[in-house]
């Protein structure tokens, strides 16, 4: 059993008031809050050993390099990657996906096919559309049903020897659906296609074992797992990372530079041009330490309780409809009240100190599918409580009475 | 009434409320009295860009005065546009162009909206002024 009261003490921001009301933070799928332990790691870096890495002979640079590389190893262990150099530090999921999509430009040709799911975040759609524009490859979409579950039989029909790449999120940010990625990966591999899984929404809730999954690329953002913004990672299988050309050129990523020719550094540095977010990487490691100390199994269990309770309580409200009712889902509830615009609902909830996300959640195709302008999305983390669910329900009722 | 007077009136009304929940309630009420745009004008061309909810505005010239009608799919947005229309409708285009929008700051509207809505508010004001420019040139011709 998690001691939620004690856990909440770790998060200074949760003591805040908003509009004169205690903050009820239910926008965790957008970004999670930061525990003192991670804040301390950030402060420690700038107070004690801020220096550029991989290049200095001096002590501070050595210390910073060691800590940064230790963080890489923490990430490697967490996701069970075979080699630490299969973990590339990036500025987040968006950067990771662009890195891979850009790299595939030279490996994909006209008439090849790539497959995406119908429930992606724009950051897992647009880079691939750009890839298709550059190469003449064709983008195919795995449809979903009204519960927000992918139609796996259609997926099978889409796969062929023309398929070069499949990309899909592990968990949908707008619907909370946990996708059957094991099956997606296996079937893609059967036709020789590579798979990228966007783990941005999965990383806060469960631990993906990249070797067991046999996934080719897996990515997430630190800021959704109690880490800092502008930091993330890309896991790539060694053979794929060797095949992909570098994304950006610059310092750090080279072996030798002359004006005639430059040779590139080995993995992972080949993909890490320029001075990275050193502090961010170290804090990412600290965030994983923090989450692992609490334990992902306990987190998942507790969040599931919150999800069930919130679903049950919200559904008692007349006219409330939940979008995303997959059997297998995480603690994300996207909803609307009949006749109420999600922006109106969000504005009033904000005045009550309740932070939710409203709009299309960077997933316009999903909103088009349901023929709605957007939803109100409450997303719960392990530091949320049932009392906060009650505040949300009361807030929704109050907003409903004002707006209808 | 002149634009300035109407604006003063709106400022007075908003100052009567103690908190923002009450002001929101009032805006929702105002939204319900918004002079609605005719369905035929609710085209994609008439949607104001920069708003996250849909807002349509239309203007007609009657007796050299601009009459605004509008609609939105979100009710608080309707309230916002209703406040603007109350201040600027039934006025001469040149007066609309000359008018300032200080009253928005004085009722504290902008700072109490989400950034996307505040952007939308700026776009709405711009659109009303654009109509005024267009009709002013028409009158001058
Ligand atoms: C499923 C999914 N993919 C990608 C992203 C983009 O992450 P970032 O903005 O950190 O690059 C998000 C963030 O909302 C997400 O939820």
């Amino acid at each position: 059993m998690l001691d939620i009261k004690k856990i909440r003490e770790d998060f200074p921001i949760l003591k805040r008031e908003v509009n004169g009301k205690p903050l009820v933070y239910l926008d965790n799928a957008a970004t999670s809050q930061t525990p003192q332990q991670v804040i301390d790691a950030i402060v420690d870096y700038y107070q004690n050993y801020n220096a550029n890495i991989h290049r200095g002979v001096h002590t501070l640079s050595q210390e910073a390099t060691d800590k940064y590389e230790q963080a890489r190893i923490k990430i490697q262990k967490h996701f069970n990657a075979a080699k630490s150099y299969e973990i590339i530090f990036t500025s987040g999921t968006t950067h990771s996906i662009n890195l891979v999509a850009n790299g595939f430009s030279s490996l994909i040709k006209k008439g090849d096919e790539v497959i995406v799911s119908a429930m992606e975040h724009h950051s897992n759609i647009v880079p691939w559309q750009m890839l298709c524009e550059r190469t003449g490859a064709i983008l195919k979409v795995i449809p979903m049903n009204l519960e927000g579950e992918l139609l796996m039989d259609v997926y099978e029909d889409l796969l062929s020897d023309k398929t070069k790449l499949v990309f899909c999120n592990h968990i949908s940010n707008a619907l909370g659906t946990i996708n059957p990625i094991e099956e997606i990966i296996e079937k893609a591999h059967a036709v020789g296609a590579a798979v990228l899984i966007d783990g941005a929404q999965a990383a806060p809730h469960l631990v993906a074992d990249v070797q067991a999954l046999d996934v080719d690329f897996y990515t997430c953002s630190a800021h959704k797992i109690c880490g800092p913004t502008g930091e993330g990672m890309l896991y790539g299988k060694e053979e794929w990372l060797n095949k992909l050309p570098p994304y950006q050129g610059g310092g750090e990523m080279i072996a030798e530079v002359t004006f005639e020719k430059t040779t590139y550094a080995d993995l992972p540095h080949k993909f890490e041009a320029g001075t990275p977010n050193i502090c961010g990487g170290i804090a990412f490691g600290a965030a994983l330490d923090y989450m692992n100390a609490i334990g992902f199994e306990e987190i998942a269990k507790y969040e599931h309780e919150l999800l069930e309770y919130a679903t049950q309580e919200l559904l008692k409200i007349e006219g409330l409809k939940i979008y995303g009712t997959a059997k297998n889902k995480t603690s994300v509830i996207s909803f609307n009240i009949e006749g109420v615009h999600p922006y109106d609902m969000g504005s009033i909830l904000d005045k009550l100190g309740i932070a939710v996300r409203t709009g299309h959640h960077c997933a316009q195709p999903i909103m088009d599918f349901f023929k709605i302008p957007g939803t109100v999305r409450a997303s719960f983390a392990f530091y949320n409580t049932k009392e906060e669910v009650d505040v949300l329900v009361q807030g929704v009722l109050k907003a409903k009475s004002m707006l209808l | 009434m002149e634009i300035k007077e109407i604006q003063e009136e709106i400022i007075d009304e908003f100052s009567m409320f103690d908190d923002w929940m009450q002001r929101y309630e009032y805006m929702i009420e105002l939204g319900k009295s918004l002079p609605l745009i005719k369905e035929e004008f609710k085209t994609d061309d008439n949607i104001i860009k920069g708003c996250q909810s849909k807002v349509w505005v239309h203007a007609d010239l009657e007796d050299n005065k601009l009459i605004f009608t509008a609609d939105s799919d979100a009710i608080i947005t309707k309230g916002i546009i209703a406040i603007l229309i109350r201040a600027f409708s039934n006025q001469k285009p040149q007066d609309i162009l000359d008018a300032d929008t200080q009253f928005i700051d004085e009722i504290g509207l902008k700072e109490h909206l989400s950034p996307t809505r505040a952007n939308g508010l700026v776009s709405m004001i711009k659109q009303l002024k654009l109509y005024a420019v267009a009709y002013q040139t028409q009158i001058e011709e």
Side-chain angles (χ1 to χ4, degrees):
Chain A
M1 272 274 285
L2 298 182
D3 185 350
I4 305 301
K5 210 163 155 227
K6 186 159 159 287
I7 286 173
R8 287 179 71 84
E9 291 292 315
D10 292 337
F11 293 81
I13 208 168
L14 297 180
K15 297 191 183 77
R16 235 201 96 147
E17 289 199 343
V18 168
N19 295 316
K21 303 275 187 334
L23 167 67
V24 173
Y25 187 78
L26 303 178
D27 194 18
N28 295 285
T31 205
S32 53
Q33 293 305 344
T34 318
Q36 191 60 48
Q37 289 82 339
V38 173
I39 298 172
D40 287 346
I42 293 168
V43 172
D44 182 40
Y45 170 78
Y46 282 110
Q47 274 184 351
N48 296 312
Y49 62 97
N50 174 30
N52 211 326
I53 52 170
H54 297 141
R55 15 187 135 173
V57 290
H58 59 80
T59 304
L60 291 192
S61 174
Q62 285 295 336
E63 284 179 18
T65 305
D66 286 349
K67 287 268 174 79
Y68 192 64
E69 290 306 323
Q70 278 164 19
R72 193 190 305 275
I73 289 166
K74 283 178 191 173
I75 297 167
Q76 176 208 349
K77 297 248 158 73
H78 181 77
F79 291 100
N80 193 30
K83 309 273 169 32
S84 67
Y85 53 75
E86 291 176 321
I87 302 295
I88 312 293
F89 279 116
T90 65
S91 71
T93 306
T94 305
H95 176 191
S96 303
I97 295 172
N98 277 283
L99 187 161
V100 178
N102 195 71
F104 264 90
S105 295
S106 57
L107 304 176
I108 278 197
K109 53 182 195 315
K110 198 165 184 278
D112 284 347
E113 294 179 355
V114 298
I115 298 179
V116 63
S117 96
M119 58 173 94
E120 296 307 306
H121 190 280
H122 294 161
S123 68
N124 204 19
I125 301 175
V126 184
W128 306 108
Q129 279 174 331
M130 289 161 71
L131 168 73
C132 289
E133 269 167 33
R134 285 195 297 270
T135 59
I138 299 156
L139 187 74
K140 303 234 159 160
V141 183
I142 316 169
M144 63 177 168
N145 63 20
L146 285 170
E147 280 72 48
E149 295 166 327
L150 293 177
L151 302 180
M152 294 301 284
D153 47 340
V154 182
Y155 170 56
E156 258 183 84
D157 292 341
L158 291 177
L159 287 165
S160 75
D161 55 4
K162 288 201 197 113
T163 314
K164 290 293 171 301
L165 250 174
V166 176
F167 34 95
C168 179
N169 55 38
H170 195 164
I171 293 177
S172 155
N173 66 313
L175 303 173
T177 310
I178 305 176
N179 284 311
I181 60 165
E182 296 82 358
E183 196 182 335
I184 289 173
I185 295 164
E186 200 184 305
K187 300 225 155 99
H189 284 171
V191 298
V195 181
L196 177 140
I197 298 294
D198 168 355
Q201 291 297 333
H205 305 293
L206 51 89
V207 182
D209 178 329
V210 293
Q211 289 192 79
L213 287 168
D214 195 28
V215 67
D216 303 289
F217 300 97
Y218 195 92
T219 173
C220 70
S221 301
H223 70 92
K224 296 189 198 281
I225 348 172
C226 296
T229 56
E231 180 61 32
M233 73 99 197
L234 170 69
Y235 160 80
K237 272 188 196 160
E238 181 175 5
E239 50 163 315
W240 274 115
L241 292 178
N242 280 329
K243 264 187 234 170
L244 292 189
Y247 180 39
Q248 293 176 321
E252 290 264 352
M253 54 78 73
I254 50 89
E256 217 170 324
V257 177
T258 67
F259 281 108
E260 286 69 41
K261 188 174 167 52
T262 291
T263 49
Y264 302 125
D266 291 335
L267 293 175
H269 307 294
K270 173 179 148 187
F271 293 107
E272 296 181 349
T275 301
N277 184 354
I278 302 166
C279 175
I282 293 166
F284 186 2
L288 286 179
D289 284 346
Y290 178 80
M291 300 275 292
N292 279 313
I294 293 175
F296 276 86
E297 265 177 41
E298 288 291 323
I299 287 175
K301 215 164 85 193
Y302 177 69
E303 287 176 344
H304 191 72
E305 271 172 42
L306 280 181
L307 171 69
E308 296 218 308
Y309 180 66
T311 306
Q312 168 201 311
E313 292 303 305
L314 282 169
L315 283 176
K316 286 182 186 161
I317 299 173
E318 216 183 295
L320 187 141
K321 182 171 157 66
I322 292 179
Y323 297 89
T325 48
K327 280 182 273 317
N328 209 2
K329 70 176 274 191
T330 45
S331 48
V332 168
I333 302 183
S334 248
F335 67 91
N336 274 331
I337 298 229
E338 207 183 333
V340 174
H341 197 286
Y343 284 113
D344 289 332
M345 176 62 70
S347 304
I348 293 184
L349 292 179
D350 175 58
K351 291 285 166 270
L352 297 169
I354 305 164
V356 293
R357 176 92 184 260
T358 63
H360 54 57
H361 318 298
C362 298
Q364 273 176 352
I366 300 183
M367 302 303 134
D368 292 345
F369 175 76
F370 288 111
K371 299 192 175 61
I372 48 177
T375 69
V376 182
R377 182 188 69 186
S379 52
F380 305 91
F382 57 93
Y383 44 72
N384 288 126
T385 63
K386 284 194 177 168
E387 289 71 35
E388 288 180 310
V389 172
D390 294 337
V391 174
L392 171 70
V393 172
Q394 287 311 311
V396 172
L397 282 169
K398 161 104 183 148
K400 186 185 161 193
S401 70
M402 283 172 71
L403 292 164
L404 281 181
Chain B
M1 257 199 287
E2 279 182 34
I3 294 179
K4 194 79 204 153
E5 288 169 320
I6 303 173
Q7 292 187 351
E8 291 297 336
E9 202 178 76
I10 297 172
I11 293 169
D12 277 351
E13 285 169 18
F14 269 81
S15 67
M16 292 183 324
F17 303 112
D18 305 329
D19 66 22
W20 267 88
M21 279 311 260
Q22 291 177 356
R23 290 189 183 100
Y24 266 45
E25 269 169 22
Y26 186 56
M27 283 198 303
I28 292 164
E29 280 312 306
L30 291 176
K32 290 176 183 159
S33 62
L34 175 70
L36 286 182
I37 186 171
K38 285 204 188 108
E39 279 300 317
E40 63 198 271
F41 297 127
K42 276 170 88 169
T43 58
D44 285 353
D45 284 349
N46 277 339
I47 290 185
I48 298 181
K49 297 198 174 56
C51 301
Q52 291 228 6
S53 43
K54 285 187 184 159
V55 183
W56 300 266
V57 179
H58 177 73
D60 288 307
L61 194 65
E62 286 173 22
D63 297 335
N64 280 341
K65 286 178 177 173
L66 274 188
I67 310 292
F68 290 111
T69 51
D71 202 0
S72 171
D73 56 350
I75 190 153
I76 295 174
T77 315
K78 256 170 131 167
I80 295 168
I81 192 84
I83 293 170
L84 294 179
I85 286 189
R86 187 165 139 209
F88 294 112
S89 199
N90 209 10
Q91 301 289 341
K92 295 200 188 81
Q94 189 59 52
D95 292 342
I96 296 171
L97 289 175
D98 293 340
D100 68 28
T101 51
Q102 184 61 31
F103 80 112
I104 299 287
D105 294 328
E106 284 185 39
I107 60 178
L109 194 51
K110 229 189 245 167
E111 61 203 279
H112 282 278
L113 296 175
S114 66
T116 50
R117 264 206 166 119
N119 280 341
L121 176 65
V122 173
S123 308
M124 287 181 215
I125 295 172
K126 217 189 260 166
Q127 189 59 38
L128 299 186
K129 295 238 174 191
L130 279 175
Y131 273 120
V133 172
Y135 280 104
Q136 183 58 30
T137 13
Q138 196 179 316
I139 292 168
E140 280 165 14
E141 280 166 4

